Amino acid sequence: MDRKRALKKHQSVIFCYLIAFLLFAAFSIYTPGFASVSHIRTIFIESALIGVVAIGQTLVIITGGIDLSVAWMMTLAAYMVTNMIDSNPGSLVWAVPFMMVVTFALGALNGFCIAYLRVPAIVMTLGMNIILQGALVGITQGRPGQAASDPLIFIGQRSLFGIPWLVIIWIVLTVVVTLMLFKMKFGRKLFAIGNNAVVANYSGIRVGRTVVLAYAISGLAAGLAGMLMVGKVGSYYLAMGDTYQFQSIAAVAIGGTSLLGGNGNYLGTVAGSLTITILLGILVALNLPWGVQKMAYGLIVLVSVIISVRRSQKVS
């Protein structure tokens, strides 16, 4: 009986993993090289970057919000670590913590304005995204970015026993976030706020403080993703986080987290990240025109959002 209840509770997560596996298996038959070890490694590396950004996106969406500032938060973090470290790898010791503090603080500012000044989340975070974009374009004057330092390249491109460091970091973060959501009070507060913020407030939950922390973690997660992406790519460049804005939202939606708030599971987001990466790989392997690829990707995101909203309406 408990097993049936558990399966029913996590059926959306299980379904998402099944879809990812079936997509991979089906296209591997069509294109044999798709199932090669090197390509599987690439899938997990690309999924890891989406998944790290989607950590914060999962938390804020569970509260009923959304974070559209992750794109240029990533770019800001990438700019900071490449310029502060420059040619001195020893600077990594203070540059990375400083970047984490800055992105955490900017995320907290998003949360403060949303929770206490009642600015709609979509307006506040999109506005923050534009502010960061303008600031970085102004500072850099559009000049090409610097190359990443050796320690960042090591993390972004090297492996441990055949497992990329990016994937190892993602696995560790997945464990931490899952424990946070289901074994800590903070996670229970997020779900309570997403279900009904007014009731949560009357229950003694400090709604404002919890929302601020959720957005602060989202900023931090985007910052970490930006740093990891610099190591993977090997250099910083403007707008490097743009594609991850809606990929992170799509990963959350595909993974079964309600875009209306109150329900979700980061393990589902992990499956959503894998699904998106596999789908994008399929679109590229089909040699479709770039415009058709963008249209297909947009359609996938739209359908996933519709399914997520419909699922949430049925639950409520």
Side-chain angles (χ1 to χ4, degrees), residues 9-288:
K9 182 179 179 180
H10 301 293
Q11 62 181 356
S12 61
V13 176
I14 296 170
F15 179 73
C16 190
Y17 278 102
L18 182 61
I19 289 296
F21 174 77
L22 290 176
L23 281 172
F24 180 80
F27 205 75
S28 294
I29 297 172
Y30 177 78
T31 308
F34 200 78
S36 65
V37 174
S38 61
H39 188 251
I40 292 173
R41 186 176 184 275
T42 300
I43 287 174
F44 275 99
I45 289 174
E46 295 297 333
S47 299
L49 288 173
I50 298 173
V52 173
V53 183
I55 287 174
Q57 203 70 264
T58 301
L59 300 185
V60 300
I61 287 177
I62 286 175
T63 68
I66 197 167
D67 190 350
L68 298 180
S69 67
V70 296
W72 281 84
M73 198 76 76
M74 284 181 68
T75 307
L76 172 66
Y79 171 80
M80 291 176 68
V81 293
T82 52
N83 281 270
M84 288 190 297
I85 296 173
D86 199 8
S87 58
N88 181 18
S91 301
L92 190 74
V93 176
W94 63 268
V96 173
F98 182 72
M99 176 276 293
M100 293 171 68
V101 169
V102 170
T103 53
F104 185 88
L106 289 172
L109 179 60
N110 276 337
F112 177 83
C113 293
I114 292 166
Y116 293 105
L117 302 184
R118 305 301 179 189
V119 180
I122 192 170
V123 174
M124 181 63 216
T125 57
L126 185 58
M128 176 65 77
N129 196 60
I130 295 171
I131 290 170
L132 294 178
Q133 179 183 10
L136 283 171
V137 171
I139 292 170
T140 63
Q141 295 296 308
R143 291 188 298 271
Q146 290 180 260
S149 63
D150 291 338
L152 292 178
I153 291 176
F154 179 86
I155 294 173
Q157 301 180 11
R158 301 293 186 270
S159 304
L160 178 66
F161 303 120
I163 304 174
W165 277 106
L166 274 175
V167 177
I168 293 173
I169 292 171
W170 187 30
I171 292 171
V172 172
L173 291 175
T174 298
V175 173
V176 172
V177 175
T178 302
L179 291 175
M180 181 192 299
L181 284 176
F182 297 104
K183 297 296 181 180
M184 296 175 64
K185 290 182 180 180
F186 177 66
R188 292 194 289 273
K189 290 177 182 178
L190 293 177
F191 288 113
I193 292 169
N195 280 308
N196 194 316
V198 175
V199 173
N201 186 52
Y202 283 122
S203 300
I205 295 174
R206 295 186 176 182
V207 174
R209 181 181 296 182
T210 305
V211 170
V212 169
L213 183 54
Y215 279 92
I217 294 174
S218 183
L220 175 60
L224 290 173
M227 180 187 72
L228 294 172
M229 188 177 180
V230 164
K232 172 185 170 290
V233 176
S235 64
Y236 151 81
Y237 58 91
L238 286 173
M240 64 191 302
D242 278 3
T243 58
Y244 293 90
Q245 185 181 63
F246 285 102
Q247 283 180 357
S248 63
I249 297 171
V252 175
I254 291 172
T257 295
S258 168
L259 295 182
L260 302 180
N263 182 41
N265 189 329
Y266 183 68
L267 290 177
T269 300
V270 171
S273 301
L274 290 167
T275 302
I276 288 174
T277 306
I278 292 169
L279 284 169
L280 290 175
I282 290 173
L283 292 174
V284 171
L286 288 173
N287 291 319
L288 297 174

